[in-house]
Amino acid sequence: MQPPQDDDAVDLLAPVPAVRTGGFVGYARVSTKGQLLDRQIHALTEAGCIRIYADKKSGKNAEREELWKAFDLLREGDTLVVPSLDRLGRSIQDLIAIVSGLRKRGIGFTSLHEALDTTTPGGRLIFHVFAALA
């Protein structure tokens, strides 16, 4: 593992992880007890996730135990996969903080609905546009 670099010296469009050496870990969330996780879990399974974590909590709730378990499982070279961006973050700033934290750990991020994949230069560019708009 390489030591963390100064953010100014990092190529912002470089894919992270540079080489996918790990697996896909999925995270799904529904906001209310009446909603079902079935479609999200199916999409994550089809995407090749080796493990899927799911919360039944409002996105406003910062105590999402299953998300924290997913973060604990993820290792350098892995990729966190979500069905859509709104399942992960409570706001654009929250999303940026989460994905930036994953990047610093050498972990990729993919959102299936938006076809956003930070393991590719194009995905990094799109994510930086989101960050700039925030």
Side-chain angles (χ1 to χ4, degrees):
M1 186 170 160
Q2 295 178 346
Q5 297 178 356
D6 180 20
D7 285 342
D8 293 335
V10 175
D11 178 1
L12 295 177
L13 297 181
V16 171
V19 178
R20 286 188 185 190
T21 56
F24 295 150
V25 175
Y27 175 71
R29 181 183 59 79
V30 291
S31 302
T32 64
K33 292 180 181 181
Q35 293 177 327
L36 300 176
L37 288 164
D38 298 353
R39 281 193 283 167
Q40 292 181 47
I41 291 174
H42 177 73
L44 294 169
T45 301
E46 289 293 311
C49 292
I50 56 172
R51 179 78 165 90
I52 298 171
Y53 293 88
D55 277 317
K56 289 189 176 185
K57 296 195 173 198
S58 168
K60 295 177 183 177
N61 189 336
E63 297 303 319
R64 294 175 282 168
E65 293 87 8
E66 295 299 308
L67 179 58
W68 308 139
K69 287 179 186 176
F71 288 162
D72 287 343
L73 177 71
L74 289 162
R75 300 290 177 254
E76 185 175 2
D78 289 346
T79 301
L80 177 66
V81 182
V82 296
S84 64
L85 290 173
D86 65 341
R87 300 298 86 199
L88 180 63
R90 299 169 301 185
S91 67
I92 191 74
Q93 290 84 4
D94 191 35
L95 275 172
I96 292 166
I98 290 170
V99 175
S100 294
L102 293 172
R103 179 179 174 81
K104 288 177 183 173
R105 293 176 53 197
I107 298 167
F109 172 73
T110 299
S111 176
L112 301 175
H113 180 74
E114 292 82 5
L116 177 64
D117 184 352
T118 66
T119 66
T120 67
R124 293 289 310 144
L125 177 63
I126 296 296
F127 194 76
H128 281 285
V129 169
F130 286 171
L133 293 174

